[in-house]
Amino acid sequence: VLVLSACNISTLSLVKLKQCLIMFQPDNMINRKTSVKIHEQGGVFLKTKHRTGREYNTQRVSGLWLVYIGIVIFLAAMTGGTLLMQPFVIGIGYAAGYILIFGLPYVHRKLAYGENTKFQNMMDNISIIFLVVFCTLCGFVIGFSDLRLLWLSVFLVVGLHFFGFYFSQGRLMLWLGLLTVLNAIAGILLIDIPFLVFAAIDAFLKFTIGIRMLFLKKQPIIMTSASEKQSK
């Protein structure tokens, strides 16, 4: 029950897996490239550089989710007692947050700058599958005899799954993944430090990076820089 409430609640996200049926097309992901064009304007030759890159249209929605989850994790750890993490806070918190943030179109309309590409959605779905599968395996392999190891292993898996969101959310996901993984490993190795310390750090990292993402502005995919002018 503990594992199902803490980990498998993520299966709510599997409603998005139908997008995985869409075959990957190379042009779904815009690679960063720089093209140079020379054109004439008013008797002057202009050389203009156009740089294209990925669009991260849903960063602010994900930022709100991270802020919310950071609060949920902190509250669950504070009320966990002998369970270390309160499963009812985790389960109800995840379910309610998912429905309110991802299920209702209002949040997406207010915070998103557009839609993800098919490739970005596919990578998100792969990351979610990874999360569900390996969190479930943590429950089966580790069991409930060592709750500290169980929860820290879940934190580790969650941290690893953030790397897959780099394609839709940008470099902040790499930092979040790296820091949460290191925190989980430190918690596994430094057994004399209370679990609550590492849970609080995990919550703080998610909350802080979530705040950063929540206030990101739209990143244009085309940056034009005027350059050399030559007389005709």
Side-chain angles (χ1 to χ4, degrees), residues 44-200:
V44 176
F45 285 106
L46 299 177
K47 184 167 72 173
T48 306
K49 293 182 180 180
H50 296 272
R51 189 184 179 209
T52 61
R54 296 189 192 94
E55 280 188 300
Y56 305 123
N57 289 320
T58 57
Q59 282 181 317
R60 297 200 299 173
V61 178
S62 297
L64 178 61
W65 171 253
L66 288 174
V67 169
Y68 175 83
I69 288 304
I71 295 173
V72 169
I73 290 174
F74 181 76
L75 293 176
M78 293 297 294
T79 59
T82 57
L83 296 176
L84 299 184
M85 297 282 287
Q86 176 52 246
F88 292 105
V89 175
I90 288 287
I92 296 175
Y94 266 66
Y98 186 88
I99 293 172
L100 293 175
I101 295 174
F102 295 111
L104 299 180
Y106 175 80
V107 175
H108 191 274
R109 285 200 305 266
K110 286 294 182 181
L111 296 181
Y113 292 117
E115 300 294 334
N116 286 337
T117 65
K118 294 176 182 178
F119 175 78
Q120 289 173 328
N121 283 330
M122 185 181 72
M123 294 306 298
D124 288 355
N125 289 329
I126 291 174
S127 299
I128 292 169
I129 294 173
F130 173 88
L131 175 68
V132 173
V133 170
F134 281 90
C135 279
T136 303
L137 286 176
C138 286
F140 283 116
V141 175
I142 300 173
F144 306 112
S145 58
D146 190 343
L147 289 176
R148 177 189 174 98
L149 180 59
L150 173 62
W151 285 116
L152 288 170
S153 298
V154 169
F155 286 170
L156 178 63
V157 172
V158 172
L160 290 173
H161 106 291
F162 284 133
F163 289 107
F165 284 90
Y166 158 74
F167 298 97
S168 64
Q169 306 302 325
R171 293 182 181 178
L172 283 175
M173 287 293 100
L174 299 182
W175 284 107
L176 179 59
L178 176 63
L179 293 174
T180 50
V181 164
L182 291 177
N183 177 63
I185 294 175
I188 293 172
L189 297 177
L190 305 175
I191 59 176
D192 293 331
I193 299 178
F195 169 82
L196 183 59
V197 173
F198 298 102

Side-chain angles (χ1 to χ4, degrees), residues 40-46 228-232:
E40 182 183 357
Q41 180 177 341
V44 176
F45 285 106
L46 299 177
E228 307 163 6
K229 296 183 180 181
Q230 298 178 342
S231 297
K232 186 175 181 180

